[in-house]
Amino acid sequence: MQRIFHTPEGVRDIYNGECSQKHHLQTEIRKVFDSYGYEEIETPSFEYFEVFSREVGTIPSKDLYKFFDREGNTLVLRPDFTPSVSRACATYFNPEHQVITLSYTGNTFINNSSYQGRLKETTQMGVERIGDDSAEADAELLAMTVECLLKAGLKEFQVSVGQVDYFKSLLQDANLDIEEEENLRSLISQKNYFGVEDLVRSQNIPESLEKAFLELPHLFGSSEILQKARSLTDNICAIKAVERLEEIYEILKIYGYEKYVSFDFGMLSKFQYYTGIIFQAYTYGTGEPVVKGGRYNNLLKHFGKPAASIGFGITVDNLLMALSRQKISLPEKKAPVILTYTEANRREAILEAQKLRSEGTAVALRREKEDC
């Protein structure tokens, strides 16, 4: 019996109209990156394991595709662009002395559990702004996120913004052990109100702090939620985190994009390298975020050049799915002109095809089948 070849679980072929639509979408997004002055960078599809190790705070080791080179070094297929771009930036640039703005396009590889139904290889496009700790930088990346989604053709979407430092400040006052911290982080992220209540009330923490943790899963909405977050604590660092969000929101008003932004203090990323704001963009037609991003001020320290940084990544495959389910059409590449020929008129056909191509017309030559 002839063997039938197919793709492994978690990956797929993209062809015909979908492939040309994907390329069109990538071109439109890249126009936004270029308009903000971000220069393109390409990093390898695989890196040394240390670039994505536990100390960096990225994807868990069990979800990485690992293999060995001839010298016995452990290599990893890139699961996340941010550590790769950070490693490259620390190698070739001086973010301590100047702001570095980079954009990228490529595939990431995560060995998700099969029952989750997620793709294990996805295309990502994104930007990293390195060496800039300003609220203006935060607002610029949120504005870019909005523009990319508008450029893609979306009309209904929301960019949800969180603040990791707010949660971390409350944790410092709570004095929980590492395991309890991780459990609390997970429960709040899942909006598991009852789980948060059980965990918090089993700990010996002040009543005011207990109230703040219990409110976190509910603490999402429009800009009015910022005042409520401020009222829940007198922790100086937590209040500064809220003030930062307030400043970012005022800057977004200048861009005219504040209507696309909401706030969620219960948003806590599994990526441990995030420090300040984090954000995710959602739209109809996909349960997964189409954009993820945030500030990571301590990551470049791991690569020898400390620098405040912020970035985001667009999962192109999720965005394409959302556009398709919302019946938002993307242009497909125009079908080529078909020129058929026989051996007798081959010369004339080739010359005609070359003439048309020089004028910008796509031409496909096809030899006519001849009767035996």
Side-chain angles (χ1 to χ4, degrees), residues 142 145 149 158-162 260 262 264 267-270 274 278-282 288-294:
L142 290 171
T145 298
L149 298 181
Q158 195 70 25
V159 182
S160 186
V161 181
Y260 296 103
S262 61
D264 184 357
M267 182 194 301
L268 303 170
S269 175
K270 63 182 178 181
Y274 284 133
I278 56 174
F279 54 94
Q280 297 180 350
Y282 295 90
E288 295 289 320
V290 292
V291 183
K292 291 182 180 180

Side-chain angles (χ1 to χ4, degrees), residues 302-358:
H302 182 81
F303 301 109
K305 288 188 179 177
S309 309
I310 183 171
F312 69 77
I314 301 170
T315 305
V316 178
D317 306 83
N318 288 350
L319 183 51
L320 268 175
M321 181 188 301
L323 291 167
S324 174
R325 290 178 175 175
Q326 293 182 36
K327 310 299 183 185
I328 298 173
S329 59
L330 293 171
E332 294 184 21
K333 186 187 295 185
K334 189 177 179 180
V337 173
I338 306 295
L339 283 185
T340 59
Y341 66 94
T342 63
E343 187 173 352
N345 70 339
R346 178 174 58 194
R347 175 182 172 81
E348 291 77 8
I350 293 174
L351 290 174
E352 177 64 15
Q354 289 296 86
K355 177 178 177 295
L356 290 171
R357 288 166 183 156
S358 69

Side-chain angles (χ1 to χ4, degrees), residues 196-254:
V196 172
E197 184 176 4
D198 288 344
L199 192 153
V200 168
R201 289 186 171 159
S202 69
Q203 306 300 313
N204 184 25
I205 60 176
E207 185 178 344
S208 60
L209 191 56
E210 180 181 298
K211 180 183 177 182
F213 282 129
L214 291 175
E215 283 290 339
L216 277 180
H218 304 272
L219 210 56
F220 58 90
S222 59
S223 59
E224 289 77 13
I225 210 73
L226 299 176
Q227 185 58 43
K228 184 173 183 181
R230 184 194 285 266
S231 69
L232 288 172
T233 180
D234 57 4
N235 182 294
I236 294 174
C237 292
I239 291 173
K240 284 184 177 179
V242 177
E243 289 175 346
R244 176 74 166 219
L245 291 179
E246 290 171 339
E247 184 178 3
I248 292 167
Y249 188 71
E250 289 304 312
I251 299 170
L252 280 172
K253 288 181 180 178
I254 301 172

Side-chain angles (χ1 to χ4, degrees), residues 81-191:
F81 265 98
T82 299
S84 287
V85 175
S86 297
R87 187 267 312 149
C89 183
T91 303
Y92 305 112
F93 301 97
N94 293 303
E96 312 101 310
H97 306 300
Q98 60 179 330
V99 176
I100 310 298
T101 54
L102 301 170
S103 67
Y104 60 81
T105 301
N107 287 7
T108 58
F109 308 85
I110 302 177
N111 193 13
N112 295 308
S113 300
S114 57
Y115 72 86
Q116 293 175 317
R118 299 174 182 168
L119 288 173
K120 299 184 178 185
E121 179 185 16
T122 57
T123 300
Q124 285 200 1
M125 300 183 71
V127 298
E128 310 292 347
R129 187 177 182 90
I130 301 169
D132 190 344
D133 194 26
S134 68
E136 290 81 5
D138 295 347
E140 177 174 288
L141 265 73
L142 290 171
M144 289 178 70
T145 298
V146 172
E147 285 192 31
C148 285
L149 298 181
L150 290 172
K151 195 76 169 176
L154 288 178
K155 295 178 177 60
E156 297 184 66
F157 61 88
Q158 195 70 25
V159 182
S160 186
V161 181
Q163 234 299 355
V164 173
D165 287 343
Y166 186 87
F167 175 70
K168 287 182 177 179
S169 299
L170 298 182
L171 276 182
Q172 289 178 352
D173 290 345
N175 197 29
L176 303 177
D177 62 35
I178 294 177
E179 184 177 351
E180 288 166 343
E181 284 185 8
E182 287 306 308
N183 285 339
L184 183 58
R185 179 191 299 273
S186 177
L187 290 168
I188 291 174
S189 296
Q190 297 166 12
K191 300 284 191 286

